Amino acid sequence: MKKKMLLLNTTVLLGLGGVLSTPAYASTIQDMESHKSQIQNQRQDVQSNIKAASDELTRLQAEQDQMKAQLERLTIAEEENNQKAQKTEADIKETSKQVEQLEKEIKLLQEKLEKRNDILKDRARSLQESGGNVEYLQVLLGSSSFSDFVDRALAVSTIVDADRGILKETKNMQDELKIKQADVKAKLASLEDMKAELDEMTVQLAAQKKQKDALAKELKDKEAKNEELKASLQSKDSSLANEQSTLEQNIKDQKAAEEAARKAAEQAAKEAAKKAAEQAQKAEAAPAEKVDSPSPKAAPQASSNDVAPTSAPAPKASNVVTVGNRWIGNSAYVFGGGRSQSDISHGLFDCSSFVHWAYSQVGVNLGPLGSVSTETLKHAGTQVSSSQMQPGDLVFFDTYKKDGHVGIYVGGGKFIGAQSSTGVAIANMSSGYWKQKFNGRVVRI
């Protein structure tokens, strides 16, 4: 009978063990946990990519802000250059009117001189017809009476005064004519310089407009790519988050189902044990042995790694050759600009004001800022041969006029300056346009 009881209890325990072990559930949860771990690893990679993309978006946003600031500078430069071009055209028209008026006055003076010359010729002719080279004293001595002498004296005095007045007026008119002719030549020369400057500004405006349009297109393209990248990353992250959430819910549901099955199995085992005990009691009057069944336990683990980016500060410029690098890509060319703190703060320079600013940053004063020009700069230091050119020397170029452009030599056949099409930039003077325009003038400060 004891053998029968042992066999019955063993059967019950084996049946209970088979119910509590639930190998199908355990295998399903293990697969889902493994899948979840894979998704978490994938999402960590995506999150890392999102972090990198966010850093890139931040950098691009800073670049966009920089380009927007440059567009604003170019807009200001375009407006100021347009105003100067309009003023130059107005000055040309006004000077042209003055030249026309001077030409009319010169013509009238010439006509008056011709009339005066005719009068003097007639008087000389009359004098010749009266007997040749007659002196006024002979006219007086030829009087027949005192009354005739007085009349002759009065006539001679009148003639002498008239001749003297005509000659003096003629001399004054001739001097005035020379002055006005010189004035006309000076104004015409000024007009030619103004026209050359206007043509140069027109070229500069066209180049700046082209640069502005290119920057605007670049800005628009980068904004579109940023939005596309941002949307793609957000979509990927959202997809992984949904997949992870669904998997976590499935694991939760599966564990709940497993817990319910476990409890049901326990209840069934208890009832089976109770029934077996009752049957055993009926078969023998011996107490049933109590058997404790172990319960499975699970302890999931998780781990994560953090990565921190590092950055290094940028070096700073320290001399006149490199101090202007800060304005490369952050400035615009304005004809006559750079002579106020507002212009300098906004990076609005012309060639001579940029050179003045650069030298001021290293403690060298090149004269009053308001009157600085290529003409003042070429007399600011010592003339040296182009074969002895060194970094920091001023180099001059014949553009719209002789010595119309100036920059700072940086070495290697290049110079830095405020260029009409790009603002502050480093240009090559050993080939191309600037090689053709370099006139050999080098000034050492």
Side-chain angles (χ1 to χ4, degrees):
M1 182 61 68
K2 289 184 179 180
K3 290 182 179 180
K4 290 182 179 180
M5 278 299 301
L6 180 59
L7 179 62
L8 178 61
N9 290 337
T10 302
T11 303
V12 172
L13 290 173
L14 289 174
L16 180 60
V19 172
L20 293 178
S21 64
T22 58
Y25 285 129
S27 176
T28 302
I29 291 176
Q30 184 178 359
D31 290 344
M32 286 191 293
E33 288 287 359
S34 177
H35 190 193
K36 176 184 174 183
S37 178
Q38 293 176 359
I39 291 177
Q40 287 176 333
N41 290 336
Q42 291 178 9
R43 198 171 182 195
Q44 284 180 356
D45 292 339
V46 171
Q47 290 290 343
S48 177
N49 291 334
I50 289 176
K51 174 65 169 57
S54 297
D55 293 341
E56 178 66 8
L57 288 172
T58 300
R59 186 191 70 78
L60 290 175
Q61 185 61 54
E63 185 178 343
Q64 291 174 18
D65 293 341
Q66 185 177 3
M67 282 195 291
K68 288 179 181 178
Q70 180 68 354
L71 288 176
E72 291 176 359
R73 278 189 288 271
L74 288 175
T75 299
I76 294 173
E78 188 176 18
E79 291 175 354
E80 292 193 11
N81 284 337
N82 276 326
Q83 292 176 0
K84 287 180 173 63
Q86 293 172 3
K87 184 178 184 303
T88 301
E89 289 179 349
D91 290 343
I92 287 176
K93 290 180 180 179
E94 180 62 27
T95 306
S96 297
K97 292 180 180 178
Q98 295 176 7
V99 169
E100 291 177 0
Q101 182 62 32
L102 283 172
E103 289 175 347
K104 290 179 181 179
E105 293 178 4
I106 289 172
K107 186 176 180 180
L108 290 175
L109 283 173
Q110 288 174 337
E111 291 176 354
K112 289 181 179 180
L113 282 174
E114 289 175 359
K115 290 180 180 180
R116 293 294 188 272
N117 288 335
D118 290 341
I119 292 174
L120 291 174
K121 288 178 182 179
D122 289 341
R123 293 180 67 83
R125 190 179 298 111
S126 175
L127 181 62
Q128 184 178 7
E129 290 174 354
S130 65
N133 193 11
V134 181
E135 297 181 358
Y136 292 124
L137 181 59
Q138 292 177 342
V139 173
L140 294 175
L141 294 176
S143 60
S144 58
S145 63
F146 181 75
S147 176
D148 184 29
F149 175 83
V150 172
D151 292 339
R152 288 187 178 217
L154 290 173
V156 168
S157 176
T158 302
I159 292 171
V160 170
D161 291 341
D163 288 345
R164 186 183 295 111
I166 291 174
L167 292 172
K168 185 177 181 180
E169 185 177 357
T170 300
K171 179 66 169 58
N172 291 339
M173 291 174 67
Q174 287 176 334
D175 293 342
E176 184 179 358
L177 179 60
K178 290 180 180 179
I179 293 173
K180 290 195 174 185
Q181 284 177 330
D183 193 10
V184 168
K185 290 181 180 179
K187 285 188 176 293
L188 285 174
S190 175
L191 213 77
E192 290 174 356
D193 288 343
M194 291 169 65
K195 182 64 169 62
E197 291 177 5
L198 178 61
D199 292 342
E200 181 71 11
M201 279 194 289
T202 301
V203 173
Q204 294 164 5
L205 290 174
Q208 290 180 19
K209 182 65 167 62
K210 184 178 180 180
Q211 181 189 12
K212 179 180 176 182
D213 293 341
L215 284 174
K217 184 178 183 303
E218 182 181 356
L219 177 62
K220 187 174 181 181
D221 291 344
K222 286 193 175 183
E223 285 179 345
K225 289 180 180 179
N226 287 348
E227 290 298 329
E228 183 180 352
L229 176 61
K230 182 179 178 181
S232 175
L233 289 171
Q234 288 178 337
S235 176
K236 180 66 175 178
D237 185 51
S238 177
S239 176
L240 286 173
N242 289 336
E243 187 175 356
Q244 181 178 342
S245 177
T246 299
L247 192 58
E248 288 174 348
Q249 185 61 44
N250 289 341
I251 292 174
K252 182 179 179 181
D253 293 343
Q254 192 72 357
K255 285 184 177 180
E258 180 184 351
E259 181 66 17
R262 187 184 66 79
K263 289 182 178 180
E266 286 181 351
Q267 185 63 30
K270 287 180 181 180
E271 291 177 358
K274 183 178 179 182
K275 187 175 181 181
E278 290 175 352
Q279 291 176 352
Q281 286 177 355
K282 290 179 181 180
E284 290 184 11
E289 295 181 4
K290 185 177 180 181
V291 179
D292 295 330
S293 300
S295 299
K297 294 183 180 180
Q301 296 180 351
S303 64
S304 62
N305 296 319
D306 295 327
V307 179
T310 59
S311 61
K316 294 183 179 180
S318 61
N319 55 54
V320 72
V321 174
T322 58
V323 72
N325 290 351
R326 58 171 290 196
W327 293 115
I328 296 176
N330 299 309
S331 59
Y333 185 95
V334 174
F335 194 87
R339 288 161 178 79
S340 68
Q341 189 56 50
S342 176
D343 280 357
I344 294 173
S345 298
H346 289 86
L348 305 177
F349 296 98
D350 64 10
C351 61
S352 54
S353 65
F354 171 75
V355 169
H356 187 284
W357 173 86
Y359 268 92
S360 70
Q361 300 305 296
V362 295
V364 178
N365 186 355
L366 296 182
L369 176 60
S371 59
V372 65
S373 66
T374 55
E375 190 68 22
T376 63
L377 290 176
K378 74 181 185 181
H379 300 296
T382 303
Q383 302 278 336
V384 297
S385 171
S386 60
S387 62
Q388 299 175 339
M389 191 160 46
Q390 297 177 1
D393 290 344
L394 304 188
V395 287
F396 290 80
F397 305 84
D398 293 342
T399 52
Y400 70 94
K401 67 177 182 179
K402 185 171 179 60
D403 299 319
H405 190 71
V406 64
I408 302 173
Y409 186 65
V410 300
K414 297 180 179 180
F415 76 100
I416 186 171
Q419 323 297 5
S420 61
S421 60
T422 60
V424 176
I426 295 176
N428 190 349
M429 59 182 289
S430 60
S431 64
Y433 175 81
W434 292 113
K435 180 180 180 181
Q436 297 174 1
K437 297 297 182 180
F438 179 53
N439 61 17
R441 184 186 297 278
V442 180
V443 174
R444 183 160 299 160
I445 303 299

